[in-house]
Amino acid sequence: MSSSTLLTVGFDLDMTLIDSRPGIKAAFRALSAETGTFVDADAAVGRLGPPLEQELAYWFPQAEVPDVADRYREIYPAHAIAPSPAMPGAREAIEAVQALGGRVIVVTAKHEPNARLHLDHLGMKPDAVVGWLWAEAKAGALREYGAQVYVGDHVGDVRGARAAGALSVTVPTGPCPEHELREAGADVVLGDLTELPRWLEEYARTRTA
């Protein structure tokens, strides 16, 4: 089966597959304690989605952001992996794609090694993981793998799906409410990932028909 006909579904990570808020709060608090610079961790987790450097720019001088970002990523595994649970229906959503003979790719703005640590810790087994991509930049990976669908929680995920020519399926489980996702051009808005397997069955039927 060619990559153009193989069912391939992409997923965002933070607030789509995993609730990374507890872990990210812990990592930011550790970073704040180490650097002596206040970071409002609650505010930071309310803006999840864009690259780390955008968040750090609220708290650190721009010249310091690259080094601070590197340090955050270094300390992240010790603080953020264990506290971050799977989102409801996340494992079942991945398994539903694979049960149909499809392929799952995770495309995220997160540092790729840390993304893999989250997935391994939670026993999620996508077929590929691509990190360091945000919004429209996600389109390159989605096109490379031939993804027909991209599932995310942020308007940036909608933009990435549309740039790739993929169907944008969204869940309002992150910082963007349903009306923002629809206004951004989402093709489908589900309540959460527990609704994805049923939607996917119908999508697969219409696609093969």
Side-chain angles (χ1 to χ4, degrees):
M1 184 177 292
S2 71
S3 60
S4 62
T5 57
L6 174 67
L7 173 63
T8 301
V9 179
F11 288 86
D12 176 52
L13 184 67
D14 289 339
M15 304 312 299
T16 299
L17 289 175
I18 67 169
D19 183 352
S20 53
R21 291 172 297 185
I24 288 175
K25 278 186 186 181
F28 271 125
R29 287 169 179 160
L31 181 73
S32 183
E34 181 178 301
T35 61
T37 298
F38 173 72
V39 176
D40 187 336
D42 290 313
V45 299
R47 292 189 285 257
L48 292 183
L52 169 65
E53 286 78 3
Q54 290 189 28
E55 183 60 40
L56 292 175
Y58 287 103
W59 314 108
F60 294 87
Q62 191 60 50
E64 297 179 14
V65 166
D67 288 342
V68 174
D70 287 345
R71 182 56 183 154
Y72 174 92
R73 292 178 176 119
E74 287 174 357
I75 67 174
Y76 186 95
H79 298 279
I81 304 302
S84 300
M87 295 295 283
R91 293 184 187 86
E92 294 83 357
I94 289 174
E95 292 165 359
V97 177
Q98 294 169 335
L100 291 169
R103 176 174 56 178
V104 170
I105 62 169
V106 172
V107 184
T108 174
K110 190 179 291 295
H111 183 53
E112 188 174 305
N114 289 342
R116 292 180 181 276
L117 288 175
H118 276 295
L119 294 163
D120 290 345
H121 175 73
L122 294 171
M124 297 186 197
K125 301 184 183 303
D127 299 281
V129 180
V130 184
W132 302 299
L133 298 177
W134 160 242
E136 289 85 354
K138 294 185 174 188
L142 295 172
R143 286 193 298 264
E144 178 184 351
Y145 283 91
Q148 299 92 4
V149 177
Y150 185 59
V151 184
D153 66 280
H154 198 282
V155 294
D157 299 324
V158 178
R159 301 204 311 267
R162 294 180 70 83
L167 197 71
S168 172
V169 176
T170 57
V171 284
T173 50
C176 300
E178 178 177 347
H179 72 89
E180 288 185 10
L181 296 170
R182 292 193 184 280
E183 288 168 4
D187 298 294
V188 178
V189 181
L190 303 174
D192 58 30
L193 286 184
T194 64
E195 299 178 11
L196 186 72
R198 179 176 294 181
W199 176 86
L200 188 65
E201 287 182 9
E202 180 61 26
Y203 171 77
R205 281 197 297 270
T206 58
R207 180 171 174 263
T208 54

